[in-house]
Amino acid sequence: MTLLSGLLGNALLSGGVLALAGMGELLAERVGVLNLGVEGLMALGAVSAVITVASTHDAGLGVAASLAVGAIAGGVFAIATVLARASQVLCGMALTMGGLGLAATIGRPFAGQPSAATFRPMPIPLLDQMPVLGDALFRQSLPVYLAYLVLPLALHLLLFRTRHGLTLRAIGENPAACDAVGIRVLPLRFAYVVLGAALSASAGAYLTLGFVPSWSDGVTAGRGWIAVSLVIFAGYRPWRIVAGALLFGLVNALGYLAQARNWGVPSAFLSMLPYLVTLLFMIVPALLSRGRPGATAPAALGLPYYRDQR
Amino acid sequence: MRTYTVQRVPSVSGRVRTGATLLSCLASVLAAGLLLALLGLHPAALGLQVLHQSLANRYGLEDLALLAAPLAMCGLSVSLMLRVGLWNIGADGQFFVGAAGAAWIGLYGPSWSTLPMLALMGAASMTAGAAWIAVPALARLILGTSEIITTLLLNFVARLGIDWLVTGPWRDRASSVTAQSPRLPVAIPKLPRDWHLGGMHWGLAVVLALACVLALAFRFTRWGYELRICGANRNAASYAGMAVNRRLLEAMLLAGAVAGLGGMLELAGTVHRLQSGLSNGYGYVGIIVAVLAASSPLGVVVTGVLMALVLNAGTVLQTQGVPSSAAVALVGLILLSAAVGERLANYRLQRIPPAPRPGQAA
Amino acid sequence: MARTELLIRPLVQLSGITKSFYGVRANQSVDFSLAGGEIHALLGENGAGKSTLMNVLTGLYQPDSGCIAIEGHARRIDSPAAAIEAGIGMVHQHFKLVSAFTVAENIHLGWNETPFRAPAALLEARTAALSRRFGLAVRPSARVGEISAGEQQRVEILRVLARGARILILDEPTAVLTPPEVAILFAALRAFRAQGNAVILISHKLGEVLEIADRVTVMRAGRSIETCAAQGASRASLARLIMGDTSLPPMQESGRAVADDAAVRIELRGVTVRDHRGIALLDNVDLQVRAGEVLGVAGVAGNGQRALSEILTGNLRPDSGTVLLDGQAVAHPTPRRFARHGIGHIPEDRLRTALAADLSLAENAVLREYDRSPVARGPLFVPGRARALAVRIIDDAQLDRRDPSLPARNLSGGNQQRLVAQREARIADRVLVAAYPTRGLDIGAVASLHAAMHRLCARGIGVVLISEEIEELLDHADRIAVLFAGRIAGILPASDAESERLGLLMSGQALVPDAPDRDPGRAA
């Protein structure tokens, strides 16, 4: 039974990265901005967290640093895409390359060393005594609970139960309609792109302080891109993003298990699994629901907003 | 009362747009220089050193051409898809599988003489590259799945696949290096020694010829016109009776084939062994090469050289104790400024004419 | 100058409004005043500056100079929110609604009285209450994307009224309405006026303006030309004010009886088209387009016009039924095949369908002839010849921008339409299918387009004119087919048709039992 428990625990832990990054991306996409820079944001968040804990030995400060750095990088991205209305695809690619390059450059002295502080487990009393599930689910660290319960709940309530959420979703659907009723489209877009970027960057801190836990060049390994795809096939809904993240965590954990137990599959193929599974999820559901409109993207996703359209 | 205001003009000529894009790229390079100055380095001296090393002697020029060739191939691949309004973020993966296809022929194929062998390797690389983009292409056309993400995901798969090949079945057991294939039996011949770029292989000529052929095809064939219309407005293209999906599929498969051929040229001309370091993110740099060139094939050759200079700067920086990854960051910065500059070209500082007195004639 | 000597203090006073865009003055020292308790029509050609003026009043644009006073107090309206605050509400021509949202969500969007916690049930209950209070029937839980244009308009009006608007601006409100719906709208506007509120009505339909407006202001070339009482004005006098000195080409004969034995160019037999949900867009349609006639197609937008024009041009395949070109059944209709056969197509949404806005005029002008001589030589495309052909098309279309390398985006809407019309008329050897070809055109351009249409007819070419303006059809069509809910509700000769009868057909309240004299003789 420790096998199952370990598998579940590992799945939960590794899926958390995707859950955080995906919810960050969700915020940006819901207000109509496609941020393809998640991978770069994660790298920046990861490296800033590692550097911060190296001198402070405080994981909380590390997360705070990643949030701040993510907000700054997101601010640059938002200036380019929301205010200057540059191509969101290009700026996202630029953020990915710039973030990866910058993170590798400033992180070089720290590469390969174990992080100086990591998340501490926070057992939930009573529940952690449960057989199998207790170990797997209820002896995790605070960020895991945040990523799986608190944040999705908060985002769900915000987006679908409040006046403000109505406004946010409308901005992603039809900014001109929002403008006409007096909603300030660009400031709100800007704010939520920055907030989303901060959240995505914190996924990097989670990676280097909770999951791996050390910095090395390429530690993000395409997780940012998987998070972007996750948002799409989760139909832009917080709970489904979390469920999808857990699923990917499971795929990951199975890979580790296979490697540890030496099932005879070359490790390269095991490492391919997450990407192939993502690809599968991008294609198969669409294939099955052909002709029927499924969960659709916000209608104005990727389009810059100009008041005087011509 | 305000007398000046910033206004947006609906469209600007290609020349203005290109000018604004290049200007803002220059600005970003200057900004990066400023950053280096703040770190206590001498950006002007470094810049001169980069130019000197790359352009002042024939070895530098050769290296530059060797680096520019794969960048231009990836740039051509990306620009082919940009023609029809699609993004090829997966040129890196297509480059790798193209190289792998060529290596397979080279290592395990027939033992013909050099030229037919190279032709067969080229064909294999193009087939492999096209096959690699086929799934994203079909998903895009049939299901509307974003080609950006699907092509990108396959980059990771391709790299891991190459890793497996060169550490497993295709590993060179005679060598102590653990992650490369044996040396290929054939290589692309070098240009004549007395040419200015002697030492560079004939692959360079292939790149230039391909750029010219594409430029001619885009401008002087009905196919090129149809691609242009399909890229600008798919509805208008099908309204005019064009086979839109077919044109898109052709553009995508061709893009994959071009990137794959780029991998073959790099393998058979420069590296001679399949290895994980074959592409240093060329596919990603290819995006900016294509964007800076406004997806013009001949422009891609020029911007390919420019970006090769930037990557060379990374090598020079390395000698100064700055990690080579700084060059990747610089590429990102340039791409961001290019994207912003392209849009800022539409803005003009406009003087507001004084309001006429009432009753005055227009 | 405007004669606005009103004794009462105006509800809205715009003074000396000037606004320019990239050097072009869209508004030039415009004065405009609106009194409480009036319906004030704002008239003018496209580009006369009406929209700019209204965008200034609703806070979307900031004027370069000039000021706004509401109830005698100067007021800065620097954002749409400030305009709403000042009691100004606008119902746009292209509705500004979120189509993925429900009616209730749209009503409550961006409204400061929306409760912070906003579950769907609460919003729907509040919407139902508002709907009763203002007497505008809407279904709170329906998705906006799935309701009729008329209901969408009610949602927009309700949204504006709920926010306490006293000044209602309506831009071309009747374009999407059936005649009975127009009557309901006008009744609501009169009730609104009776409470001391005011309405600004932008419209091209002069008859309507004379029916409901109290005063009329005419704009031309960015200036306010004249304000006068609607009483005593006539359609002719208003048209003269709108047009200025330009004279109209003489009106063509219409309603000619085209001989019954004229060749049938296109025939539809029992054609049915369904959308992806299986709903019939066209339902068992029989129709003939004859050589040398103008076949008008009347109906409220959204009753199958798009599908009909696409079927007639090969852009759509019927799910059942047959399409015949010159008596030959077409097994696999494609746009190319129809174009080759000499069928031109002016689609309803030119920017979305007929033009590539980012490409040059030259590239757009040759879109229909790029694959034939002289532009094409085998698989080759000869840019020089393409350019020469483009210059000719641009000249014939009398565009105001003649540089063929200019992007099509730079043309005004009217000039884009002229380019498309000229291009399509060139290939239309047999039939020209024109969907709303006069949309967005000035009165003068409309007249020359109609003249061009009649010239085609005189050459024996059949013209299908899809329009929602009954007057246009009565003036120019020989026969009028009425579309309702994807079916042909009736086909009348234009000489027998009256607007009331057409109105009834358009709203589905009457069906003409297959006018037997017009029934196609079923001979292949």
Side-chain angles (χ1 to χ4, degrees):
Chain A
M1 274 295 110
T2 49
L3 173 73
L4 185 60
S5 168
L7 195 69
L8 261 180
N10 192 290
L12 206 62
L13 193 59
S14 68
V17 184
L18 297 178
L20 284 173
M23 282 185 280
E25 178 68 8
L26 172 74
L27 283 178
E29 294 204 13
R30 273 289 182 179
V31 293
V33 178
L34 177 67
N35 184 351
L36 294 180
V38 180
E39 182 83 4
L41 287 167
M42 266 169 82
L44 285 173
V47 83
S48 49
V50 164
I51 294 176
T52 308
V53 297
S55 49
T56 64
H57 298 275
D58 183 337
L61 282 178
V63 174
S66 72
L67 285 168
V69 168
I72 293 169
V76 173
F77 177 76
I79 288 173
T81 53
V82 177
L83 301 187
R85 289 131 167 151
S87 152
Q88 292 177 11
V89 173
L90 284 183
C91 291
M93 290 308 299
L95 184 55
T96 290
M97 284 192 229
L100 285 173
L102 194 61
T105 308
I106 60 178
R108 204 167 57 148
F110 302 87
Q113 300 167 19
S115 301
T118 52
F119 297 147
R120 276 190 306 274
M122 199 177 84
I124 310 271
L126 297 181
L127 287 177
D128 68 336
Q129 302 302 323
M130 266 204 304
V132 186
L133 292 182
D135 255 0
L137 304 184
F138 302 110
R139 275 186 207 155
Q140 300 281 3
S141 56
L142 179 64
V144 176
Y145 303 130
L146 283 178
Y148 282 97
L149 290 175
V150 180
L151 272 171
L153 182 66
L155 286 190
H156 178 81
L157 292 179
L158 171 73
L159 283 172
F160 300 106
R161 292 285 182 275
T162 66
R163 179 173 83 194
H164 189 59
L166 190 65
T167 303
L168 294 184
R169 285 185 288 134
I171 289 175
E173 290 284 342
N174 187 345
C178 295
D179 202 5
V181 295
I183 293 168
R184 289 156 57 80
V185 172
L186 296 189
L188 278 172
R189 270 199 172 169
F190 195 99
Y192 277 88
V193 168
V194 169
L195 198 64
L199 200 53
S200 294
S202 79
Y206 179 106
L207 190 65
T208 49
L209 301 185
F211 179 48
V212 175
S214 74
W215 162 261
S216 59
D217 193 5
V219 73
T220 50
R223 288 188 178 86
W225 291 104
I226 294 180
V228 174
S229 341
L230 184 59
V231 175
I232 297 174
F233 62 72
Y236 308 87
R237 289 174 179 273
W239 284 118
R240 293 201 209 157
I241 288 178
V242 174
L246 191 57
L247 189 79
F248 271 94
L250 216 55
V251 171
N252 243 340
L254 274 173
Y256 287 121
L257 190 69
Q259 222 156 337
R261 300 254 158 154
N262 208 352
W263 285 357
V265 184
S267 69
F269 288 106
L270 293 173
S271 310
M272 280 180 200
L273 267 183
Y275 312 111
L276 290 175
V277 170
T278 309
L279 203 61
L280 222 60
F281 269 90
M282 297 281 292
I283 292 173
V284 172
L287 205 61
L288 295 180
S289 70
R290 262 186 85 186
R292 275 170 291 153
T296 46
L301 182 62
L303 307 174
Y305 176 60
Y306 294 103
R307 190 173 266 180
D308 51 343
Q309 203 90 48
R310 177 166 165 184
Chain B
M1 191 180 128
R2 298 172 304 163
T3 43
Y4 282 93
T5 175
V6 176
Q7 290 201 328
R8 192 171 69 94
V9 292
S11 69
V12 293
S13 73
R15 208 166 293 157
V16 172
R17 188 172 299 284
T18 311
T21 309
L22 290 178
L23 259 180
S24 59
C25 289
L26 195 67
S28 70
V29 172
L30 290 180
L34 200 67
L35 195 70
L36 288 178
L38 289 177
L39 292 173
L41 296 161
H42 301 286
L46 282 174
L48 282 179
Q49 197 184 341
V50 171
L51 291 179
H52 185 79
Q53 281 195 4
S54 319
L55 304 174
N57 58 56
R58 68 180 294 162
Y59 298 109
L61 276 175
E62 271 171 40
D63 280 351
L64 193 68
L66 283 177
L67 189 52
L71 293 184
M73 288 300 280
C74 290
L76 286 175
S77 166
V78 176
S79 69
L80 252 163
M81 281 191 37
L82 276 180
R83 281 267 147 183
V84 291
L86 297 171
W87 292 99
N88 182 10
I89 313 291
D92 216 50
Q94 296 140 24
F95 189 88
F96 267 114
V97 294
W104 180 62
I105 297 289
L107 295 173
Y108 304 102
S111 33
W112 297 343
S113 61
T114 306
L115 267 184
M117 196 62 184
L118 286 175
L120 189 63
M121 282 164 70
S125 70
M126 291 175 75
T127 314
W132 202 245
I133 205 176
V135 169
L138 292 173
R140 165 82 222 195
L141 294 182
I142 300 171
L143 306 170
T145 311
S146 160
E147 79 285 359
I148 298 177
I149 294 170
T150 49
T151 54
L152 182 119
L153 286 170
L154 284 175
N155 287 347
F156 293 99
V157 177
R159 270 186 185 255
L160 288 165
I162 301 293
D163 275 349
W164 172 69
L165 281 176
V166 298
T167 54
W170 292 3
R171 196 183 126 195
D172 181 11
R173 290 174 208 284
S175 146
S176 59
V177 181
T178 51
Q180 62 178 22
S181 75
R183 196 180 164 89
L184 293 187
V186 288
I188 301 176
K190 303 266 184 209
L191 296 173
R193 284 303 300 173
D194 48 341
W195 286 18
H196 200 61
L197 275 178
M200 177 66 204
H201 55 82
W202 275 98
L204 186 66
V206 174
V207 177
L208 292 177
L210 184 66
C212 292
V213 167
L214 284 179
L216 291 174
F218 285 156
R219 192 166 154 67
F220 293 106
T221 66
R222 278 159 55 179
W223 181 77
Y225 176 80
E226 290 187 0
L227 286 192
R228 214 149 56 224
I229 300 287
C230 289
N233 184 349
R234 256 158 246 171
N235 294 317
S238 64
Y239 151 90
M242 297 173 189
V244 179
N245 277 349
R246 216 175 132 176
R247 292 291 99 85
L248 296 187
L249 186 65
E250 286 165 2
M252 285 193 262
L253 293 182
L254 199 56
V258 168
L261 183 62
M264 177 268 178
L265 296 180
E266 184 71 2
L267 177 80
T270 311
V271 181
H272 306 296
R273 293 169 187 271
L274 190 65
Q275 49 181 243
S276 321
L278 192 73
S279 154
N280 188 10
Y282 296 153
Y284 299 99
V285 183
I287 298 169
I288 176 167
V289 167
V291 168
L292 283 182
S295 45
S296 131
L298 296 178
V300 159
V301 175
V302 178
T303 54
V305 173
L306 280 180
M307 290 315 292
L309 269 177
V310 172
L311 293 188
N312 265 352
T315 325
V316 171
L317 282 175
Q318 227 168 343
T319 65
Q320 305 289 314
V322 180
S324 61
S325 52
V328 180
L330 181 59
V331 171
L333 183 64
I334 292 177
L335 183 53
L336 186 74
S337 356
V340 173
E342 182 196 51
R343 208 43 61 107
L344 290 184
N346 282 44
Y347 290 87
R348 298 274 183 282
L349 200 60
Q350 187 93 46
R351 233 196 108 193
I352 297 177
R357 281 184 299 280
Q360 192 179 321
Chain C
M1 282 308 306
R3 302 173 311 186
T4 50
E5 294 87 8
L6 280 171
L7 295 175
I8 48 165
R9 193 167 58 178
L11 195 51
V12 176
Q13 177 72 53
L14 300 176
S15 323
I17 301 289
T18 296
K19 172 78 186 173
S20 46
F21 294 100
Y22 11 94
V24 178
R25 275 214 196 89
N27 276 171
Q28 201 163 331
S29 309
V30 176
D31 296 327
F32 178 81
S33 98
L34 180 70
E38 76 163 335
I39 294 178
H40 194 137
L42 188 57
L43 306 181
E45 304 205 323
N46 293 293
K50 297 167 304 196
S51 313
T52 305
L53 189 68
M54 290 304 106
N55 283 333
V56 165
L57 183 56
T58 52
L60 282 167
Y61 294 160
Q62 296 312 297
D64 301 334
S65 64
C67 58
I68 302 174
I70 308 287
E71 297 186 300
H73 301 289
R75 194 138 181 177
R76 246 176 89 80
I77 298 187
D78 52 7
S79 68
I84 294 165
E85 182 73 14
I88 299 165
M90 176 146 181
V91 174
H92 296 85
Q93 183 181 9
H94 303 287
F95 301 135
K96 301 217 169 176
L97 297 172
V98 180
S99 52
F101 280 12
T102 63
V103 168
E105 286 174 324
N106 270 288
I107 295 274
H108 287 86
L109 181 61
W111 186 17
N112 53 19
E113 285 178 28
T114 306
F116 174 76
R117 284 204 52 213
L122 176 64
L123 298 187
E124 283 164 22
R126 287 173 51 99
T127 304
L130 284 170
S131 169
R132 280 192 302 276
R133 189 176 131 208
F134 289 102
L136 290 163
V138 296
R139 287 167 295 157
S141 60
R143 297 234 168 258
V144 162
E146 289 162 11
I147 64 180
S148 72
E151 189 168 353
Q152 290 186 21
Q153 186 178 61
R154 290 198 290 278
V155 174
E156 278 235 337
I157 296 176
L158 189 57
R159 179 163 81 178
V160 167
L161 295 185
R163 285 160 171 76
R166 297 199 51 210
I167 300 144
L168 186 57
I169 306 169
L170 297 144
D171 189 0
E172 296 283 352
T174 58
V176 295
L177 302 182
T178 58
E181 282 176 318
V182 172
I184 296 172
L185 172 70
F186 281 4
L189 293 185
R190 290 193 178 104
F192 184 68
R193 172 178 65 181
Q195 292 160 9
N197 302 315
V199 176
I200 300 176
L201 178 73
I202 300 175
S203 179
H204 281 123
K205 299 182 184 171
L206 301 181
E208 240 170 58
V209 166
L210 292 172
E211 179 191 340
I212 191 165
D214 302 305
R215 285 196 300 163
V216 177
T217 291
V218 176
M219 292 188 70
R220 199 193 311 144
R223 292 162 177 276
S224 163
I225 296 298
E226 170 95 42
T227 298
C228 57
Q231 231 173 4
S234 68
R235 283 173 67 167
S237 71
L238 290 180
R240 241 188 335 273
L241 278 175
I242 293 170
M243 295 279 299
D245 302 328
T246 6
S247 59
L248 289 173
M251 184 98 107
Q252 302 286 324
E253 271 294 293
S254 79
R256 300 157 299 137
V258 173
D260 275 356
D261 58 353
V264 175
R265 292 300 189 198
I266 307 182
E267 181 173 358
L268 305 185
R269 282 195 200 153
V271 166
T272 297
V273 178
R274 296 178 192 285
D275 68 3
H276 63 92
R277 288 171 300 183
I279 295 167
L281 301 172
L282 287 182
D283 190 357
N284 198 19
V285 165
D286 293 315
L287 198 66
Q288 293 183 333
V289 183
R290 298 200 192 125
E293 73 165 345
V294 177
L295 172 66
V297 177
V300 178
N303 273 295
Q305 286 92 337
R306 180 185 291 255
L308 180 65
S309 68
E310 289 182 351
I311 279 286
L312 289 173
T313 54
N315 281 280
L316 209 57
R317 267 177 214 186
D319 289 310
S320 63
T322 327
V323 183
L324 297 94
L325 290 182
D326 283 315
Q328 296 282 314
V330 184
H332 296 289
T334 63
R336 177 173 302 239
R337 169 122 194 234
F338 277 55
R340 283 267 161 87
H341 196 77
I343 291 163
H345 181 198
I346 304 177
E348 65 175 273
D349 189 345
R350 56 192 172 246
L351 256 193
R352 214 183 71 86
T353 318
L355 292 171
D358 293 323
L359 298 186
S360 68
L361 292 184
E363 279 161 319
N364 277 290
V366 302
L367 185 62
R368 287 306 208 147
E369 293 172 71
Y370 78 97
D371 56 351
R372 351 181 149 166
S373 181
V375 178
R377 268 178 95 178
L380 297 185
F381 175 88
V382 189
R385 293 185 187 167
R387 201 181 160 90
L389 174 64
V391 166
R392 239 176 77 199
I393 293 178
I394 290 168
D395 275 348
D396 291 346
Q398 301 180 326
L399 303 189
D400 54 8
R401 313 290 294 271
R402 300 278 168 110
D403 177 1
S405 59
L406 216 61
R409 185 180 295 290
N410 285 24
L411 294 182
S412 68
N415 273 286
Q416 288 169 356
Q417 187 74 316
R418 286 185 200 203
L419 176 63
V420 173
Q422 179 60 33
R423 184 182 77 195
E424 297 308 314
R426 276 180 60 86
I427 65 157
D429 290 335
R430 287 167 202 266
V431 173
L432 178 66
V433 178
Y436 312 104
T438 55
R439 235 185 222 173
L441 292 187
D442 300 338
I443 298 180
V446 167
S448 63
L449 189 125
H450 285 148
M453 228 166 57
H454 289 295
R455 277 198 301 276
L456 288 180
C457 284
R459 281 168 45 204
I461 293 159
V463 175
V464 178
L465 174 63
I466 300 176
S467 173
E468 55 205 1
E469 299 199 26
I470 295 179
E471 285 166 19
E472 180 183 18
L473 294 173
L474 288 175
D475 286 349
H476 297 283
D478 302 311
R479 292 188 302 148
I480 299 176
V482 182
L483 266 183
F484 177 74
R487 313 183 66 140
I488 301 281
I491 301 180
L492 311 168
S495 44
D496 301 356
E498 300 151 3
S499 52
E500 281 102 273
R501 179 117 180 265
L502 286 174
L504 285 178
L505 287 171
M506 282 164 68
S507 50
Q509 292 175 12
L511 282 174
V512 174
D514 276 313
D517 52 331
R518 300 284 153 193
D519 200 37
R522 292 261 164 111

